[in-house]
Amino acid sequence: MSNEVWVVADLKIDGSVRQVTYEALSEAGQKIAGKLGGKLCGVLIGSGVSGHAASLGKYGAEKVYVIDNDILKDFNTEGFTIALSELIKKHEPAVVIGGNTVFGQDYFPRVAARVGAGVTMDAIDIDLSDQNTLKIQRYSHSSKAIPTQVFHQNYPMMTTVRPNSFKAVENPKDPEVVDGGVEINPADIKTRVIELETKESDRPELTEAERVIAGGRGLGSEENFKHVYELADILGAAAGATRAAVDAGYCPYDMQVGQTGKAVSPNLYVAIAISGSVQHFAGMGSSKVIVAINKDPEAPIFQKCDYGIVGDLFDVLPPFTAKVRSLVSEG
Amino acid sequence: MKILVLVSQTQDTEAKIHVSSSGDSIDTGGMKWIMNPYDEFAVEEAIQTKEKHGGEVVIISIGPDRVLETIRQALAMGADSAVHIKGDGFAETDSFTVGKVIGGEIKKLGEFDIIFTGMKIIDEESGQVGVQVAEELGIPHVSLVSKVIEVDPAGKKAVCQKEIDGGHVTVEVPLPCLITCPDAMNEPRYASLPGIMKAKKKPLTVVEAGDINLGELGLSAEALGKDGARVKTTQMKVPEIERKLTIIKGSDEPMVKGEEVERSAEELIKLLREEAKVI
Ligand SMILES: Cc1cc2nc3c(=O)[nH]c(=O)nc-3n(C[C@H](O)[C@H](O)[C@H](O)COP(=O)(O)OP(=O)(O)OC[C@H]3O[C@@H](n4cnc5c(N)ncnc54)[C@H](O)[C@@H]3O)c2cc1C
Ligand SMILES: Nc1ncnc2c1ncn2[C@@H]1O[C@H](COP(=O)(O)O)[C@@H](O)[C@H]1O
């Protein structure tokens, strides 16, 4: 067993490194690696990923393990599981951290089962316990409770972390790059991606955004969602939605905020024609300032927001957006 | 086809939550227990698969006596039989062990084609058990499936759609496999009255926790209790975020109307700039 603390890079489908990776490196560097007296290491798994080693170094990685294999293109669940499990067995790290994204959620529990590790998901705080084991906090009970969870001395200790929970702080290192040396037998890859459809967006990603403008069923149509996008673009915000809006086909699924969808905690969350269900709040209830525009004074959201206007969105939003626009253009 | 569904019972998190006096858990006294909502999607998907291809749906659930009610609900929706792995200590058992125990019982059921599970349980929100059962069984999984496009029992494969950031992927997976279900993949049916009557007569196998051969699963004797857990909850907090609740209303009726609209928009912007300092 080594004292190494690993952060597995979470990559976007275009191959770039997701911000949560740098956040995790920074936090693990300060809170865990130092105290444990172990090296902070990055792990790169994917196809054509070796080039990212330097950027992991920028956020404190002293060593970077690389498993670069064509088989791992477009996130392949079995390939990633084999790669990380074998690497863990070979080098026996103390702690392994990843991002709680659709990918992290998919293969971290499986790797943990394979190597016999304890694992927690979606941590919002990571630290060491008095026994020098991993100690995390996360949300449970539809985000109405925050358990503190402590690991047994059963190595490795694994967790995913929620994006936008920690600050990424540069701490430049010139990392030693180590070839992971893990072979992946193509016959072990059983699930195949047969089609991949992605659309580029100019808006910031929901989980990383400082501001989020979200629309609900009350928008009434896909066409009307332009009101949401317009305000979002003026404020440099991400655009979100409720499940009811997604279900109705007003916007794509990746805009869904909530228990099933994305968890966000921006400085500003503007909820337009959103009733404020428990499941929606499970994804945005920790936002710093919540603003609601809703025509129903009895909507639950008015009991759980900071500012609100009781009014028809089609009346209120145009003058509001116009005024925000002129404010922003004034600087 | 033989279709399995992992069904869990959960605390109804719509309710108000209180920390228990021990400070490390949620007080479940007087709490309503329901079928985990994501598992309803799993049961529905299983029944639809059976309706298309024939076969049987088997429910598997771990927990104390009370989970029988949830098992009955799944049977009333249209599942054919159930296995209840019964014991009181499972609430503190880690997901790794739950996955192994469920996997062990599944192996005893003989061959199967597909397993559906929920994406996570809404009280603990661990989101691990499904995938860990797949690992224990050595079968592939597809997580967070937004749509099962095709199940092809003859060709021994399934095709699923899965949402990713900025789009979606279509994945082909050989059977047997395990699929985890998020919300909105289908419309779970209600249990009908005849369904509820019939459920009482459907075959139910009870496995006592004490009879499980832990050694055979590679587990230690303490694995089922709190002391054997890889991860322990040591403290539980209920976050109280104070909200300002500054709501701008109309003067005659609740909704702002006419020229109030302009004024309320201005007022909101002022608050956001000067008080909240967010724009
Ligand atoms: C297992 C499970 C998981 C779920 N996960 C999620 C999740 O991740 N995210 C999520 O969002 N939901 C989720 N839900 C669904 C959730 O329960 C609610 O149904 C959903 O959040 C409601 O969305 P909504 O507020 O847009 O719609 P509604 O509840 O229908 O509210 C629409 C609101 O718009 C207002 N309105 C209408 N017209 C206007 C107008 N012209 N001007 C101003 N206001 C107007 C209405 O007054 C109303 O308050 C989940 C449900 C389940 C069972
Ligand atoms: N006690 C249980 N009995 C049966 N299935 C379970 C149990 N716990 C979890 N599961 C299944 O695993 C899924 C994920 O649960 P979890 O990992 O606990 O969040 C659930 O939606 C169920 O399908």
Side-chain angles (χ1 to χ4, degrees):
Chain A
M1 212 273 306
S2 81
N3 268 345
E4 285 183 356
V5 176
W6 289 7
V7 172
V8 185
D10 194 278
L11 304 178
K12 295 185 187 173
I13 206 76
D14 67 6
S16 60
V17 178
R18 213 176 267 283
Q19 185 68 11
V20 64
T21 311
Y22 304 134
E23 294 163 1
L25 277 169
S26 305
E27 192 75 1
Q30 289 166 25
K31 292 266 209 51
I32 300 178
K35 288 194 212 169
L36 206 58
K39 252 194 193 135
L40 180 65
C41 308
V43 177
L44 282 166
I45 300 173
S47 162
V49 292
S50 345
H52 293 312
S55 59
L56 302 189
K58 199 161 125 192
Y59 290 90
E62 296 170 77
K63 192 198 249 185
V64 176
Y65 293 98
V66 180
I67 300 178
D68 203 327
N69 192 323
D70 283 348
I71 274 184
L72 299 168
K73 199 173 161 288
D74 295 341
F75 182 79
N76 174 295
T77 180
E78 279 126 354
F80 272 70
T81 302
I82 295 168
L84 184 57
S85 312
E86 293 305 313
L87 199 65
I88 287 173
K89 287 184 205 159
K90 232 165 139 170
H91 300 278
E92 302 184 321
V95 177
V96 181
I97 300 172
N100 198 64
T101 59
V102 278
F103 300 139
Q105 288 173 53
D106 182 83
Y107 80 111
F108 255 62
R110 185 140 193 169
V111 170
R114 188 162 299 182
V115 303
V119 61
T120 54
M121 307 298 287
D122 212 14
I124 53 167
D125 185 72
I126 51 174
D127 207 340
L128 277 189
S129 71
D130 297 340
Q131 287 76 41
N132 265 358
T133 62
L134 186 62
K135 176 169 111 177
I136 65 105
Q137 288 186 28
R138 49 192 286 272
Y139 283 104
S140 72
H141 296 78
S142 299
S143 302
K144 289 179 177 176
I146 300 184
T148 299
Q149 297 185 302
V150 176
F151 284 65
H152 248 277
Q153 222 124 16
N154 184 304
Y155 286 14
M157 302 173 279
M158 299 179 66
T159 191
T160 62
V161 296
R162 179 175 288 198
N164 218 359
S165 300
F166 314 121
K167 237 180 134 137
V169 184
E170 289 189 16
N171 173 22
K173 295 273 157 43
D174 184 15
E176 172 195 359
V177 179
V178 180
D179 180 1
V182 171
E183 298 291 327
I184 300 169
N185 180 353
D188 291 333
I189 308 290
K190 307 227 168 64
T191 23
R192 286 188 309 124
V193 171
I194 54 178
E195 201 186 308
L196 173 75
E197 231 177 277
T198 52
K199 232 182 23 226
E200 286 291 312
S201 166
D202 297 335
R203 285 183 202 103
E205 261 202 43
L206 262 176
T207 55
E208 296 173 1
E210 286 293 315
R211 293 166 175 167
V212 174
I213 313 298
R217 198 201 316 255
L219 263 298
S221 70
E222 184 179 4
E223 159 74 12
N224 286 339
F225 249 78
K226 65 170 190 259
H227 295 294
V228 172
Y229 302 135
E230 190 186 357
L231 184 56
D233 290 341
I234 295 170
L235 286 168
T242 62
R243 161 174 156 193
V246 172
D247 266 4
Y250 303 163
C251 53
Y253 178 85
D254 65 356
M255 279 172 60
Q256 182 169 323
V257 172
Q259 187 175 63
T260 320
K262 306 250 163 67
V264 302
S265 59
N267 283 330
L268 173 66
Y269 191 92
V270 182
I272 301 166
I274 290 177
S275 61
S277 68
V278 169
Q279 294 85 2
H280 191 69
F281 260 77
M284 45 59 83
S286 59
S287 303
K288 207 168 132 240
V289 173
I290 297 176
V291 176
I293 296 174
N294 197 305
K295 67 179 183 188
D296 175 8
E298 306 296 328
I301 194 149
F302 284 130
Q303 254 93 71
K304 314 187 258 197
C305 70
D306 295 288
Y307 304 100
I309 297 181
V310 181
D312 191 309
L313 80 95
F314 300 108
D315 292 340
V316 175
L317 215 47
F320 181 77
T321 305
K323 286 185 198 340
V324 173
R325 187 194 297 280
S326 60
L327 263 181
V328 168
S329 62
E330 280 164 24
Chain B
M1 293 188 81
K2 187 156 171 177
I3 305 155
L4 314 183
V5 193
L6 306 188
V7 174
S8 52
Q9 193 179 49
T10 178
Q11 299 159 38
D12 183 357
T13 56
E14 296 258 359
K16 200 156 169 59
I17 304 280
H18 302 279
V19 175
S20 63
S21 55
S22 59
D24 61 356
S25 60
I26 291 296
D27 188 357
T28 57
M31 181 99 61
K32 205 167 120 203
W33 294 91
I34 56 171
M35 183 187 293
N36 184 33
Y38 296 104
D39 300 356
E40 287 186 36
F41 297 102
V43 173
E44 177 62 35
E45 202 60 38
I47 296 171
Q48 286 187 16
T49 308
K50 174 183 107 166
E51 284 169 348
K52 245 191 229 144
H53 302 285
E56 56 169 330
V57 174
V58 183
I59 303 299
I60 299 166
S61 187
I62 292 199
D65 286 328
R66 61 171 155 72
V67 307
L68 187 58
E69 197 185 326
T70 294
I71 292 176
R72 288 257 158 78
Q73 184 186 340
L75 292 172
M77 285 170 75
D80 299 285
S81 65
V83 178
H84 178 190
I85 307 168
K86 197 159 99 180
D88 289 327
F90 287 115
E92 281 157 352
T93 307
D94 66 25
S95 66
F96 174 84
T97 302
V98 171
K100 283 213 165 250
V101 169
I102 293 179
E105 293 309 315
I106 290 177
K107 283 178 194 162
K108 293 184 196 156
L109 296 177
E111 293 203 356
F112 61 89
D113 300 282
I114 195 159
I115 305 177
F116 291 102
T117 81
M119 67 176 277
K120 66 177 165 190
I121 184 160
I122 62 163
D123 50 14
E124 301 297 334
E125 298 200 48
S126 94
Q128 303 164 5
V129 168
V131 170
Q132 298 195 321
V133 168
E135 173 64 17
E136 177 62 17
L137 295 169
I139 59 171
H141 77 262
V142 192
S143 67
L144 306 173
V145 168
S146 52
K147 196 156 108 199
V148 177
I149 296 170
E150 186 198 1
V151 175
D152 174 4
K156 288 228 148 273
K157 62 168 194 187
V159 179
C160 308
Q161 181 172 310
K162 191 179 147 75
E163 307 298 319
I164 57 169
D165 284 318
H168 52 255
V169 288
T170 309
V171 175
E172 189 183 289
V173 58
L175 301 182
C177 73
L178 182 142
I179 287 174
T180 83
C181 306
D183 70 316
M185 72 185 309
N186 56 38
E187 282 277 341
R189 67 194 67 192
Y190 289 104
S192 65
L193 202 56
I196 294 169
M197 299 310 291
K198 271 195 233 155
K200 294 187 182 138
K201 297 195 200 85
K202 289 183 175 170
L204 172 76
T205 310
V206 178
V207 178
E208 296 288 343
D211 295 339
I212 296 168
N213 188 334
L214 296 172
E216 210 168 75
L217 297 170
L219 294 169
S220 71
E222 309 85 69
L224 296 188
K226 190 168 185 160
D227 294 335
R230 284 167 167 68
V231 182
K232 237 194 273 195
T233 300
T234 55
Q235 201 199 16
M236 189 67 93
K237 275 193 314 213
V238 173
E240 287 296 345
I241 304 179
E242 291 279 323
R243 295 287 173 195
K244 290 220 165 58
L245 303 175
T246 307
I247 313 294
I248 304 165
K249 295 193 187 126
S251 48
D252 293 337
E253 41 180 324
M255 277 218 266
V256 294
K257 284 269 165 65
E259 46 196 50
E260 290 170 353
V261 168
E262 219 31 60
R263 245 185 292 128
S264 65
E266 245 158 51
E267 196 181 331
L268 178 58
I269 288 179
K270 194 157 181 256
L271 287 165
L272 294 180
R273 289 205 93 188
E274 292 169 15
E275 191 175 276
K277 300 195 167 60
V278 284
I279 57 174

